[in-house]
Short mmCIF file of all heavy atoms in Angstrom, two decimals:
data_model
loop_
_atom_site.label_atom_id
_atom_site.label_comp_id
_atom_site.label_asym_id
_atom_site.label_seq_id
_atom_site.Cartn_x
_atom_site.Cartn_y
_atom_site.Cartn_z
N PRO C 16 0.78 -1.19 -0.07
CA PRO C 16 0.00 0.01 -0.07
C PRO C 16 0.89 1.34 -0.02
O PRO C 16 0.38 2.34 -0.49
CB PRO C 16 -0.79 -0.10 1.27
CG PRO C 16 -0.49 -1.37 1.94
CD PRO C 16 0.47 -2.03 1.10
N SER C 17 2.06 1.28 0.39
CA SER C 17 2.90 2.45 0.45
C SER C 17 3.38 2.82 -1.01
O SER C 17 3.91 3.92 -1.18
CB SER C 17 4.07 2.42 1.45
OG SER C 17 4.99 1.33 1.00
N TYR C 18 3.33 1.93 -1.94
CA TYR C 18 3.80 2.15 -3.23
C TYR C 18 2.61 2.59 -4.10
O TYR C 18 1.61 1.89 -4.15
CB TYR C 18 4.49 0.92 -3.85
CG TYR C 18 4.88 1.18 -5.36
CD1 TYR C 18 5.91 2.08 -5.69
CD2 TYR C 18 4.15 0.56 -6.40
CE1 TYR C 18 6.21 2.30 -7.04
CE2 TYR C 18 4.44 0.81 -7.66
CZ TYR C 18 5.50 1.67 -8.01
OH TYR C 18 5.77 1.92 -9.31
N LYS C 19 2.76 3.67 -4.72
CA LYS C 19 1.71 4.21 -5.64
C LYS C 19 2.37 4.35 -7.00
O LYS C 19 3.24 5.26 -7.22
CB LYS C 19 1.17 5.66 -5.18
CG LYS C 19 0.60 5.69 -3.79
CD LYS C 19 -0.56 4.83 -3.64
CE LYS C 19 -1.18 5.05 -2.23
NZ LYS C 19 -1.63 3.82 -1.69
N ALA C 20 1.95 3.55 -7.92
CA ALA C 20 2.43 3.60 -9.27
C ALA C 20 1.79 4.74 -10.09
O ALA C 20 0.63 5.03 -9.79
CB ALA C 20 2.14 2.27 -10.03
N ASN C 21 2.47 5.29 -11.07
CA ASN C 21 1.80 6.11 -12.00
C ASN C 21 2.01 5.43 -13.32
O ASN C 21 2.60 4.40 -13.50
CB ASN C 21 2.36 7.59 -12.00
CG ASN C 21 3.72 7.75 -12.41
OD1 ASN C 21 4.22 7.01 -13.26
ND2 ASN C 21 4.47 8.62 -11.80
N LYS C 22 1.30 5.87 -14.39
CA LYS C 22 1.28 5.24 -15.67
C LYS C 22 2.46 5.50 -16.50
O LYS C 22 2.66 5.03 -17.59
CB LYS C 22 0.03 5.68 -16.38
CG LYS C 22 -1.26 5.20 -15.69
CD LYS C 22 -2.52 5.58 -16.52
CE LYS C 22 -3.67 5.08 -15.76
NZ LYS C 22 -4.95 5.39 -16.47
N PHE C 23 3.43 6.31 -15.93
CA PHE C 23 4.59 6.62 -16.78
C PHE C 23 5.62 5.51 -16.61
O PHE C 23 6.15 5.13 -15.57
CB PHE C 23 5.26 7.92 -16.23
CG PHE C 23 6.32 8.53 -17.05
CD1 PHE C 23 6.15 8.84 -18.39
CD2 PHE C 23 7.61 8.59 -16.51
CE1 PHE C 23 7.12 9.33 -19.14
CE2 PHE C 23 8.65 9.14 -17.38
CZ PHE C 23 8.38 9.49 -18.60
N VAL C 24 5.97 4.92 -17.82
CA VAL C 24 6.95 3.81 -17.84
C VAL C 24 7.84 4.08 -19.06
O VAL C 24 7.39 4.53 -20.16
CB VAL C 24 6.16 2.48 -18.10
CG1 VAL C 24 7.17 1.35 -18.32
CG2 VAL C 24 5.33 2.14 -16.86
N ILE C 25 9.13 3.85 -18.91
CA ILE C 25 10.06 3.98 -20.00
C ILE C 25 10.72 2.64 -20.30
O ILE C 25 11.20 2.02 -19.27
CB ILE C 25 11.21 4.95 -19.76
CG1 ILE C 25 10.61 6.46 -19.60
CG2 ILE C 25 12.24 5.01 -20.85
CD1 ILE C 25 11.63 7.52 -19.13
N GLU C 26 10.63 2.10 -21.52
CA GLU C 26 11.28 0.87 -21.85
C GLU C 26 12.45 1.18 -22.69
O GLU C 26 12.38 1.94 -23.66
CB GLU C 26 10.27 -0.02 -22.64
CG GLU C 26 9.08 -0.51 -21.78
CD GLU C 26 8.28 -1.52 -22.43
OE1 GLU C 26 8.83 -2.44 -23.19
OE2 GLU C 26 7.06 -1.59 -22.10
N PHE C 27 13.62 0.74 -22.19
CA PHE C 27 14.90 1.05 -22.82
C PHE C 27 15.90 -0.14 -22.57
O PHE C 27 15.96 -0.64 -21.50
CB PHE C 27 15.46 2.33 -22.28
CG PHE C 27 16.75 2.75 -22.95
CD1 PHE C 27 16.72 3.10 -24.27
CD2 PHE C 27 17.87 2.71 -22.20
CE1 PHE C 27 17.98 3.56 -24.76
CE2 PHE C 27 19.14 3.12 -22.77
CZ PHE C 27 19.19 3.54 -23.97
N GLN C 28 16.53 -0.55 -23.66
CA GLN C 28 17.61 -1.55 -23.49
C GLN C 28 17.05 -2.89 -22.86
O GLN C 28 17.78 -3.54 -22.02
CB GLN C 28 18.83 -1.10 -22.79
CG GLN C 28 19.56 0.00 -23.50
CD GLN C 28 20.13 -0.44 -24.79
OE1 GLN C 28 20.88 -1.47 -24.78
NE2 GLN C 28 19.89 0.30 -25.85
N GLY C 29 15.81 -3.28 -23.15
CA GLY C 29 15.25 -4.49 -22.64
C GLY C 29 14.78 -4.35 -21.22
O GLY C 29 14.44 -5.38 -20.59
N ARG C 30 14.79 -3.16 -20.65
CA ARG C 30 14.34 -3.01 -19.26
C ARG C 30 13.19 -2.02 -19.25
O ARG C 30 13.10 -1.11 -19.98
CB ARG C 30 15.51 -2.41 -18.41
CG ARG C 30 16.48 -3.58 -18.10
CD ARG C 30 17.92 -3.06 -17.97
NE ARG C 30 18.83 -4.05 -17.69
CZ ARG C 30 19.50 -4.69 -18.62
NH1 ARG C 30 19.38 -4.43 -19.83
NH2 ARG C 30 20.36 -5.62 -18.32
N LYS C 31 12.25 -2.24 -18.23
CA LYS C 31 11.15 -1.42 -18.05
C LYS C 31 11.40 -0.56 -16.72
O LYS C 31 11.43 -1.12 -15.64
CB LYS C 31 9.85 -2.26 -17.90
CG LYS C 31 8.50 -1.53 -17.73
CD LYS C 31 7.37 -2.33 -17.58
CE LYS C 31 7.07 -3.07 -18.84
NZ LYS C 31 5.75 -3.77 -18.80
N PHE C 32 11.41 0.76 -16.91
CA PHE C 32 11.62 1.66 -15.81
C PHE C 32 10.28 2.18 -15.29
O PHE C 32 9.60 2.83 -16.09
CB PHE C 32 12.64 2.74 -16.15
CG PHE C 32 13.92 2.32 -16.45
CD1 PHE C 32 14.28 1.95 -17.89
CD2 PHE C 32 14.92 2.18 -15.55
CE1 PHE C 32 15.50 1.57 -18.15
CE2 PHE C 32 16.18 1.74 -15.86
CZ PHE C 32 16.44 1.42 -17.22
N ARG C 33 9.76 1.64 -14.16
CA ARG C 33 8.43 2.01 -13.61
C ARG C 33 8.63 3.29 -12.73
O ARG C 33 9.54 3.23 -11.92
CB ARG C 33 7.85 0.86 -12.86
CG ARG C 33 7.55 -0.35 -13.70
CD ARG C 33 7.21 -1.51 -12.78
NE ARG C 33 6.59 -2.64 -13.41
CZ ARG C 33 7.35 -3.57 -13.87
NH1 ARG C 33 8.64 -3.64 -13.74
NH2 ARG C 33 6.75 -4.59 -14.50
N PHE C 34 7.79 4.21 -12.84
CA PHE C 34 7.79 5.38 -11.97
C PHE C 34 6.59 5.43 -11.01
O PHE C 34 5.51 4.97 -11.35
CB PHE C 34 7.75 6.67 -12.84
CG PHE C 34 9.00 6.83 -13.61
CD1 PHE C 34 9.21 6.09 -14.74
CD2 PHE C 34 9.99 7.68 -13.20
CE1 PHE C 34 10.33 6.27 -15.57
CE2 PHE C 34 11.16 7.80 -13.89
CZ PHE C 34 11.34 7.04 -15.14
N GLY C 35 6.79 5.92 -9.80
CA GLY C 35 5.78 5.97 -8.77
C GLY C 35 6.34 6.66 -7.54
O GLY C 35 7.39 7.37 -7.57
N THR C 36 5.68 6.39 -6.43
CA THR C 36 6.12 7.01 -5.19
C THR C 36 6.01 5.84 -4.14
O THR C 36 5.18 4.94 -4.14
CB THR C 36 5.23 8.12 -4.69
OG1 THR C 36 3.87 7.69 -4.56
CG2 THR C 36 5.30 9.28 -5.58
N ILE C 37 6.97 5.91 -3.19
CA ILE C 37 6.99 5.11 -2.03
C ILE C 37 6.89 6.03 -0.80
O ILE C 37 7.78 6.78 -0.59
CB ILE C 37 8.22 4.20 -1.91
CG1 ILE C 37 8.23 3.30 -3.07
CG2 ILE C 37 8.23 3.45 -0.58
CD1 ILE C 37 9.47 2.43 -3.15
N GLY C 38 5.72 6.00 -0.11
CA GLY C 38 5.57 7.09 0.86
C GLY C 38 5.50 8.40 0.19
O GLY C 38 4.71 8.55 -0.70
N ASN C 39 6.37 9.32 0.59
CA ASN C 39 6.45 10.63 -0.14
C ASN C 39 7.66 10.74 -0.99
O ASN C 39 7.95 11.82 -1.46
CB ASN C 39 6.32 11.75 0.93
CG ASN C 39 7.57 11.70 1.89
OD1 ASN C 39 8.27 10.83 1.81
ND2 ASN C 39 7.64 12.69 2.70
N ARG C 40 8.41 9.71 -1.34
CA ARG C 40 9.59 9.71 -2.17
C ARG C 40 9.28 9.27 -3.58
O ARG C 40 8.67 8.17 -3.80
CB ARG C 40 10.65 8.75 -1.63
CG ARG C 40 11.20 9.14 -0.29
CD ARG C 40 12.47 9.84 -0.21
NE ARG C 40 13.42 9.83 -1.25
CZ ARG C 40 14.63 9.25 -1.09
NH1 ARG C 40 15.01 8.71 -0.01
NH2 ARG C 40 15.52 9.28 -2.10
N LYS C 41 9.62 10.01 -4.51
CA LYS C 41 9.54 9.62 -5.93
C LYS C 41 10.52 8.48 -6.19
O LYS C 41 11.63 8.49 -5.73
CB LYS C 41 9.87 10.79 -6.83
CG LYS C 41 8.88 11.97 -6.68
CD LYS C 41 9.40 13.13 -7.59
CE LYS C 41 8.59 14.36 -7.21
NZ LYS C 41 9.03 15.49 -7.85
N ALA C 42 10.03 7.47 -6.95
CA ALA C 42 10.89 6.27 -7.12
C ALA C 42 10.83 5.83 -8.56
O ALA C 42 9.83 6.01 -9.21
CB ALA C 42 10.42 5.22 -6.16
N ILE C 43 11.99 5.15 -8.93
CA ILE C 43 12.04 4.41 -10.23
C ILE C 43 12.34 3.05 -9.82
O ILE C 43 13.26 2.70 -9.03
CB ILE C 43 13.20 4.93 -11.11
CG1 ILE C 43 13.01 6.45 -11.44
CG2 ILE C 43 13.33 4.11 -12.34
CD1 ILE C 43 14.22 7.03 -12.25
N LEU C 44 11.52 2.10 -10.39
CA LEU C 44 11.71 0.61 -10.15
C LEU C 44 12.13 -0.04 -11.39
O LEU C 44 11.58 0.29 -12.50
CB LEU C 44 10.45 -0.01 -9.62
CG LEU C 44 10.02 0.21 -8.18
CD1 LEU C 44 9.78 1.75 -7.96
CD2 LEU C 44 8.87 -0.70 -7.86
N VAL C 45 13.08 -0.91 -11.41
CA VAL C 45 13.56 -1.67 -12.50
C VAL C 45 14.09 -3.07 -12.19
O VAL C 45 14.65 -3.26 -11.09
CB VAL C 45 14.61 -0.85 -13.33
CG1 VAL C 45 15.85 -0.70 -12.49
CG2 VAL C 45 14.95 -1.53 -14.66
N ILE C 46 13.79 -4.05 -13.06
CA ILE C 46 14.18 -5.38 -12.82
C ILE C 46 15.49 -5.58 -13.57
O ILE C 46 15.58 -5.22 -14.78
CB ILE C 46 13.14 -6.35 -13.34
CG1 ILE C 46 11.91 -6.26 -12.48
CG2 ILE C 46 13.70 -7.80 -13.39
CD1 ILE C 46 10.74 -7.08 -12.97
N THR C 47 16.47 -6.22 -12.97
CA THR C 47 17.77 -6.41 -13.53
C THR C 47 17.91 -7.68 -14.37
O THR C 47 18.63 -7.76 -15.21
CB THR C 47 18.86 -6.44 -12.49
OG1 THR C 47 18.66 -7.57 -11.62
CG2 THR C 47 18.91 -5.19 -11.61
N GLY C 48 17.29 -8.73 -13.81
CA GLY C 48 17.57 -10.10 -14.37
C GLY C 48 18.55 -10.58 -13.36
O GLY C 48 19.15 -9.86 -12.53
N LEU C 49 18.71 -11.90 -13.36
CA LEU C 49 19.66 -12.52 -12.44
C LEU C 49 21.04 -12.36 -12.79
O LEU C 49 21.47 -12.29 -13.97
CB LEU C 49 19.38 -13.99 -12.36
CG LEU C 49 17.94 -14.38 -11.86
CD1 LEU C 49 17.78 -15.90 -11.90
CD2 LEU C 49 17.77 -13.86 -10.46
N GLY C 50 22.00 -12.27 -11.79
CA GLY C 50 23.38 -12.28 -11.97
C GLY C 50 24.02 -10.89 -11.87
O GLY C 50 23.39 -9.86 -11.99
N VAL C 51 25.28 -10.86 -11.52
CA VAL C 51 26.02 -9.67 -11.24
C VAL C 51 26.25 -8.81 -12.54
O VAL C 51 26.08 -7.57 -12.52
CB VAL C 51 27.50 -10.01 -10.74
CG1 VAL C 51 28.37 -8.88 -10.58
CG2 VAL C 51 27.43 -10.72 -9.38
#
């Protein structure tokens, strides 16, 4: 419940950068895939 997504997403280099807020902080979430 503390994460609020917005509809703004950027797809680049095979990654999806999701934008939203966590509490009152603006955040970008992205999945790396496995491995260093």
Side-chain angles (χ1 to χ4, degrees):
S17 66
Y18 175 70
K19 304 292 184 223
N21 66 38
K22 295 181 180 182
F23 188 63
V24 173
I25 297 175
E26 292 191 33
F27 181 69
Q28 295 294 311
R30 287 153 180 89
K31 185 183 288 189
F32 298 90
R33 295 171 168 92
F34 292 80
T36 58
I37 297 175
N39 61 355
R40 297 264 330 248
K41 297 174 189 173
I43 300 173
L44 284 64
V45 62
I46 294 175
T47 67
L49 298 178
V51 173

